[in-house]
Amino acid sequence: MGKKSRVKTQKSGTGAASVVSPKEMMNLVSDLLQKCSGPAPAPGKEWEEYIQIRSLVEKIRKKQKGLSVVFDGTRDDFFPELMSWAAENGASCEGFEISNFAEEGYGLKATRDIKAEEMFLWIPRKMLMTVESAKNSVLGPLYSQDRILQAMGNVTLAFHLLCERANPASFWLPYIRTLPSEYDIPLYFEEDEVHYLQSTQAIHDVFSQYKNTARQYAYFYKVIQTHPNASKLPLKDSFTYDDYRWAVSSVMTRQNQIPTEDGSHVTLALIPLWDMCNHTNGLITTGYNLEDDRCECVALQDYKQDEQIYIFYGTRSNAELVIHNGFFHDNNSHDRVKIKLGVSKSERLYAMKAEVLARAGIPSSSIFALHCSEPPISAQLLAFLRVFCMTEDELKEYLVGDHAIDKIFTLGNAEFPVSWENEIKLWTFLETRTTLLLKTYKTSTEDDRSLLEKPDLSFHSKVAIKLRLAEKEILEKAMASGKSKREHFQKQLEEGAPLPKYEESNISLLENSVSDSKLPIILRKLEEADEAGEEELKMNEALSDENAGGDVLVNGDSKQLSGTETENRETPYGEGSA
């Protein structure tokens, strides 16, 4: 169940604490852009770079204190207006209400019994904030000229949100006023809270998120001050880092893909009211009805009156949920950690192994995942490890002969080992690799559990430690599984057990008993972790062309829309929402 971002009531700013000249601010922003656009830091220097960037950001924030646009009052004050606005514009507003659920924050509560698969919520397109509505807004002229906005729909949505928030007559104001004033993603962590993520796999994404956000802010600050098509934007006189962080975080925790009006492609959207739902395990229950042109959601399960209504955000790891949504899911059945593996090009058998992997649709070097479930490896990773550990003679069996192609389809099937020796090698490798990965952490699982007992820990610190602990627990399970499998296959070898044989053209061979894969490897995506690679490359190219440097700012995280949305990288996903 998702932990929502808590709201800190703010008062409207009336002016900066001290007068800052435009030249002084431009110099600070230029320094930030230069720092964020340089080459990647050397290994072991990432924390140092993060602190340097953070120092520049804090200088800018201090100079801009009091300039951010915020609303008086709390979110609660605006929920009745949101419900009235939704009803007036054709959304369903019966059977539920917005309620505060303590640790999880705001969500939807059933006001009557709701049956599983009953449609209880629908939101028409005209209520959605989309890249298309941004193009038709005051942002349109700048969008038509700026390649970064054109390449990065999530950034376009963030600016759309900022421009509409500054417009007292905005159609979406009833929705925008109910958004949190701040979030629980790492962009809002204090330095000591981020420190708890040191040595974790997640820390690299946390650094990237912070660096990309800072670079994007610096780039667009210059654009807004100098581009002719930005002169009419309601941001020219006040475009603070805090404003941009808020908009980026709002989009990051809420955006979704929906079809365009003609259904020819997908676009990014913010979906009012529906995005109040919190997350739990389950299945995608939301889709887009093109005929009625609306987002529709059916109940994930039976809900009694006064129970919270949940939706399933998608198969997201806890790292994704923390970094892009701001909460840790204690019972996440889809949790996993990344593991980067590759066949060395200097290896004597590299060409043969690369060819077998290519025939299976698997790169010779990639990022895989170790899962919290048993078995801990997917069909793709099993196939990779089998090829990785093959002897020359074993490789030949998958490269030449009448049945070589057929055998490729058995690589990811746990029922058909290459050989007992191969199985022993691959599980020994997994056991060794996970053991080494565990040694990179500076604390043990026992240390982390003890830390979580401390009563004075901040919410962000608890989330960071929970994530660190979860990574180690997955690695420990994978290590134990590797040992168990190794011992099992060692016994098979010692007892001279016959190797299971496969029958050509038997469709069952295409099925896979490892993980959830049910299709031939060559027909499946490699790993969720790589799904956003192409989009990220496109964004990076756009940034390079604009001399803004490096990676993307937002990683496209969102809830899932069944039938219309493709999962964004090993992530898409919530403050959940509220």
Side-chain angles (χ1 to χ4, degrees), residues 6-53:
R6 296 153 298 154
V7 179
K8 178 188 291 184
T9 303
Q10 300 181 10
K11 299 297 181 182
S12 298
T14 56
S18 59
V19 177
V20 184
S21 70
K23 183 178 180 181
E24 181 182 1
M25 184 56 64
M26 186 63 79
N27 287 339
L28 281 171
V29 166
S30 296
D31 290 344
L32 180 62
L33 182 59
Q34 183 177 9
K35 183 63 184 176
C36 293
S37 301
K45 297 291 185 180
E46 295 89 352
W47 178 262
E48 181 180 330
E49 182 191 61
Y50 169 74
I51 295 302
Q52 292 171 351
I53 294 173

Side-chain angles (χ1 to χ4, degrees), residues 42 110 154 167 221 233 238 272 329 389 450 458 503 548:
N154 40 23
N167 176 11
Y221 182 91
L233 295 183
S238 176
H329 189 196
C389 295
S450 297
S458 68
E503 298 177 19

Side-chain angles (χ1 to χ4, degrees), residues 313-414:
Y313 291 2
T315 56
R316 310 176 188 183
S317 68
N318 270 318
E320 294 165 351
L321 290 173
V322 169
I323 294 169
H324 305 289
N325 302 116
F327 69 87
F328 181 94
H329 189 196
D330 289 308
N331 301 305
N332 188 356
S333 59
H334 300 284
D335 205 9
R336 56 193 177 270
V337 297
K338 299 174 187 176
I339 179 169
K340 188 173 184 178
L341 299 172
V343 182
S344 172
K345 291 184 178 180
S346 63
E347 183 184 336
R348 182 177 66 87
L349 299 176
Y350 172 78
M352 295 177 72
K353 291 182 178 180
E355 177 61 25
V356 174
L357 288 169
R359 293 183 183 186
I362 302 175
S364 58
S365 178
S366 188
I367 296 175
F368 298 90
L370 297 175
H371 298 264
C372 63
S373 56
E374 181 62 35
I377 64 175
S378 65
Q380 291 80 9
L381 181 49
L382 176 63
F384 175 89
L385 290 175
R386 281 176 168 172
V387 177
F388 183 80
C389 295
M390 281 183 186
T391 63
E392 185 171 358
D393 288 340
E394 288 169 343
L395 287 164
K396 288 178 180 177
E397 292 183 22
Y398 289 80
L399 288 172
V400 297
D402 295 338
H403 303 299
I405 295 299
D406 292 333
K407 293 188 74 172
I408 291 291
F409 289 93
T410 68
L411 279 173
N413 194 315

Side-chain angles (χ1 to χ4, degrees), residues 439-458:
K439 289 181 179 179
T440 64
Y441 293 86
K442 297 178 181 179
T443 59
S444 66
T445 52
E446 291 75 18
D447 293 334
D448 289 346
R449 292 190 185 102
S450 297
L451 271 173
L452 288 171
E453 297 297 321
K454 290 189 174 183
D456 57 343
L457 272 181
S458 68

Side-chain angles (χ1 to χ4, degrees), residues 248-517:
V248 163
S249 301
S250 297
V251 171
M252 191 183 302
T253 58
R254 282 169 158 73
Q255 69 177 358
N256 254 289
Q257 290 180 325
I258 65 165
T260 52
E261 288 191 65
D262 61 4
S264 63
H265 60 284
V266 295
T267 187
L268 292 178
L270 297 176
I271 308 175
L273 196 58
W274 175 80
D275 66 5
M276 294 297 301
C277 293
N278 279 317
H279 166 76
T280 191
N281 290 322
L283 300 171
I284 301 297
T285 56
T286 304
Y288 201 91
N289 184 331
L290 272 173
E291 184 177 347
D292 293 331
D293 204 18
R294 66 186 191 182
C295 171
E296 297 178 344
C297 185
V298 300
L300 182 62
Q301 62 193 51
D302 288 343
Y303 292 107
K304 297 292 185 182
Q305 183 175 338
D306 295 329
E307 287 185 339
Q308 184 176 179
I309 302 171
Y310 293 99
I311 61 174
F312 176 58
Y313 291 2
T315 56
R316 310 176 188 183
S317 68
N318 270 318
E320 294 165 351
L321 290 173
V322 169
I323 294 169
H324 305 289
N325 302 116
F327 69 87
F328 181 94
H329 189 196
D330 289 308
N331 301 305
N332 188 356
S333 59
H334 300 284
D335 205 9
R336 56 193 177 270
V337 297
K338 299 174 187 176
I339 179 169
K340 188 173 184 178
L341 299 172
V343 182
S344 172
K345 291 184 178 180
S346 63
E347 183 184 336
R348 182 177 66 87
L349 299 176
Y350 172 78
M352 295 177 72
K353 291 182 178 180
E355 177 61 25
V356 174
L357 288 169
R359 293 183 183 186
I362 302 175
S364 58
S365 178
S366 188
I367 296 175
F368 298 90
L370 297 175
H371 298 264
C372 63
S373 56
E374 181 62 35
I377 64 175
S378 65
Q380 291 80 9
L381 181 49
L382 176 63
F384 175 89
L385 290 175
R386 281 176 168 172
V387 177
F388 183 80
C389 295
M390 281 183 186
T391 63
E392 185 171 358
D393 288 340
E394 288 169 343
L395 287 164
K396 288 178 180 177
E397 292 183 22
Y398 289 80
L399 288 172
V400 297
D402 295 338
H403 303 299
I405 295 299
D406 292 333
K407 293 188 74 172
I408 291 291
F409 289 93
T410 68
L411 279 173
N413 194 315
E415 300 301 317
F416 299 99
V418 173
S419 67
W420 297 133
E421 293 86 353
N422 183 268
E423 290 293 306
I424 293 168
K425 284 181 185 177
L426 79 87
W427 291 108
T428 300
F429 174 84
L430 184 66
E431 181 184 4
T432 303
R433 175 56 70 92
T434 50
T435 300
L436 291 173
L437 287 172
L438 281 165
K439 289 181 179 179
T440 64
Y441 293 86
K442 297 178 181 179
T443 59
S444 66
T445 52
E446 291 75 18
D447 293 334
D448 289 346
R449 292 190 185 102
S450 297
L451 271 173
L452 288 171
E453 297 297 321
K454 290 189 174 183
D456 57 343
L457 272 181
S458 68
F459 172 73
H460 293 162
S461 296
K462 286 182 180 178
V463 165
I465 295 169
K466 280 185 174 183
L467 181 57
R468 188 172 73 187
L469 176 60
E471 283 189 6
K472 284 182 274 194
E473 289 176 338
I474 290 174
L475 290 172
E476 287 176 348
K477 286 180 182 179
M479 181 178 66
S481 179
K483 179 182 179 183
S484 175
K485 297 281 188 181
R486 170 178 57 79
E487 292 174 344
H488 168 73
F489 289 113
Q490 184 70 47
K491 185 177 180 181
Q492 296 290 90
L493 178 63
E494 292 171 354
E495 294 178 351
L499 202 66
K501 299 294 183 181
Y502 71 92
E503 298 177 19
E504 290 78 39
S505 302
N506 185 340
I507 192 65
S508 66
L509 298 183
L510 303 186
E511 295 187 355
N512 179 354
S513 60
V514 179
S515 189
D516 60 351
S517 175

